[in-house]
Amino acid sequence: MIDQGDLSGRVSDAPSNNWVYRFLPRTLWPYAQLARWDRPIGWELLMWPCFWSAAMAANAALHIGSFSWDTLIFHLFLFFAGSVAMRGAGCTYNDLVDHKIDMAVARTRSRPLPSGRVSRKQAKIFIVIQALIGLMVLLCFNGFAILVGLSSLVFVAIYPFAKRFTNWPQFFLGLAFSWGALMGWAGQFGSLSVSPVLLYVGAIAWTIGYDTIYAHQDREDDTAAGIGSTALLFGDKTHSWLVGLYGTALVCILLAFATAGVSIFGYISVAIAAFLLFRQVWVLDIDNVKQCHALFLSNNRVGVLIFAGLLLPLLVR
């Protein structure tokens, strides 16, 4: 039976009123879906560790008299553009790797590759185009940051295969998705220190947490396909695991701020973010697919809050 998503040109797991369907020509819809432009939450969650790191580095630069708004704004623009491009390339690559699995999963079989609206060759060309955009962005940074950025490709390459050999694919997603926590600092100082490393560890724990919630939407399909996830691994103990993961994330972020000399605004923002994170744990029903998706999306507010706490000291100095 043909999926209804195929008949409309839309995918079943994306909002039908998204800007992609209202503004882009229909011929470009499959490529927008491959890059997940119709679901911005992915590039947003990829972007926030970059923004946190850049703003945290700006706070540290402020203390030594080297802060520049021009540098910060330029870096934030680069991280925005890079997040959209590389998330799109990563999703396209992931869909190529998961082509057969996606055909067997109800939620994903209407995507461009399993539905046949894009060929594997077209998808590969699209990856190259997006990767070149990402490379252009990366080359705007200093040499050390370029090397740090290129190093992330190891985890980007491994992640799509992780679900085939481990129940911890979310850990590998965290390694790749949180890399920006190192990049912002490297872009500012041309080096790394304990602060961005702590931020990176915190972002990894946060990523595992929110993606575990997301993965609870696919437990039955993942079991049928024989692939692993932390949702399957944690099962009924998910709430306890999330307390540990989110708690680790918050502690590491606070330690990163302390070692970087971030002001009280940063700590206030983390406190508010902590309330939002533990509210997720409190209300989570792992058998409620719609709620799992809504709680996953709510992590964008966590990203905004923490960034705001880092930006405020720069605005009121």
Side-chain angles (χ1 to χ4, degrees), residues 90 93-94 97 151-162 165 172 176:
Y93 171 63
N94 189 73
V97 173
S151 300
S152 70
L153 296 179
V154 174
F155 301 121
V156 172
I158 293 174
Y159 166 65
F161 299 98
F165 62 82
F172 288 91

Side-chain angles (χ1 to χ4, degrees), residues 1-313:
M1 180 180 293
I2 298 175
D3 194 286
Q4 289 302 308
D6 296 337
L7 295 176
S8 67
R10 294 166 169 79
V11 290
S12 60
D13 58 341
S16 60
N17 63 342
N18 188 269
W19 70 269
V20 162
Y21 307 118
R22 288 182 280 120
F23 296 109
L24 288 185
R26 193 181 184 92
T27 53
L28 294 182
W29 288 7
Y31 296 98
Q33 291 160 356
L34 277 175
R36 308 295 196 273
W37 295 341
D38 53 339
R39 280 162 284 182
I41 185 63
W43 64 256
E44 290 167 346
L45 292 175
L46 177 62
M47 181 184 72
W48 288 125
C50 304
F51 273 33
W52 298 348
S53 186
M56 184 176 72
N59 276 260
L62 183 65
H63 290 302
I64 60 176
S66 62
F67 169 69
S68 164
W69 272 112
D70 290 342
T71 299
L72 177 60
I73 292 172
F74 181 54
H75 285 179
L76 294 179
F77 169 75
L78 292 176
F79 286 131
F80 162 73
S83 295
V84 175
M86 294 312 295
R87 192 259 180 159
C91 287
T92 309
Y93 171 63
N94 189 73
D95 281 6
L96 276 168
V97 173
D98 287 347
H99 190 170
K100 292 183 178 179
I101 293 176
D102 286 345
M103 292 178 71
V105 176
R107 188 176 63 83
T108 58
R109 67 169 59 104
S110 63
R111 289 179 178 177
L113 275 167
S115 65
R117 289 180 290 121
V118 168
S119 69
R120 291 183 64 84
K121 180 179 179 180
Q122 289 170 324
K124 290 174 183 177
I125 293 172
F126 189 44
I127 288 178
V128 172
I129 293 171
Q130 294 175 95
L132 286 174
I133 294 172
L135 179 61
M136 290 171 58
V137 169
L138 184 60
L139 292 177
C140 293
F141 288 100
N142 61 60
F144 180 80
I146 291 171
L147 291 176
V148 172
L150 290 174
S151 300
S152 70
L153 296 179
V154 174
F155 301 121
V156 172
I158 293 174
Y159 166 65
F161 299 98
K163 68 188 75 172
R164 292 165 169 80
F165 62 82
T166 180
N167 286 320
W168 287 88
Q170 280 70 26
F171 171 67
F172 288 91
L173 177 68
L175 291 174
F177 242 57
S178 305
W179 202 256
L182 304 175
M183 285 295 297
W185 191 277
Q188 174 71 44
F189 294 114
S191 64
L192 290 175
S193 72
V194 66
S195 300
V197 172
L198 285 166
L199 189 66
Y200 179 54
V201 174
I204 291 172
W206 178 52
T207 303
I208 297 172
Y210 68 62
D211 203 61
T212 296
I213 294 175
Y214 183 86
H216 272 290
Q217 299 175 92
D218 298 329
R219 287 200 318 269
E220 292 183 6
D221 288 328
D222 288 349
T223 300
I227 56 179
S229 77
T230 48
L232 293 173
L233 179 66
F234 299 164
D236 292 336
K237 296 181 180 179
T238 292
H239 293 80
S240 298
W241 274 97
L242 287 176
V243 169
L245 287 164
Y246 283 160
T248 298
L250 293 165
V251 169
C252 288
I253 292 171
L254 286 172
L255 289 174
F257 286 6
T259 54
V262 174
S263 79
I264 188 65
F265 292 110
Y267 299 98
I268 293 173
S269 70
V270 173
I272 299 172
F275 171 78
L276 295 181
L277 288 172
F278 288 113
R279 180 185 176 278
Q280 290 179 30
V281 181
W282 180 262
V283 304
L284 174 64
D285 176 1
I286 60 174
D287 296 316
N288 186 329
V289 172
K290 289 185 177 179
Q291 189 213 47
C292 286
H293 187 66
L295 291 176
F296 165 73
L297 293 176
S298 72
N299 282 278
N300 190 47
R301 292 197 290 271
V302 174
V304 172
L305 269 170
I306 294 176
F307 176 61
L310 291 165
L311 199 61
L312 275 174

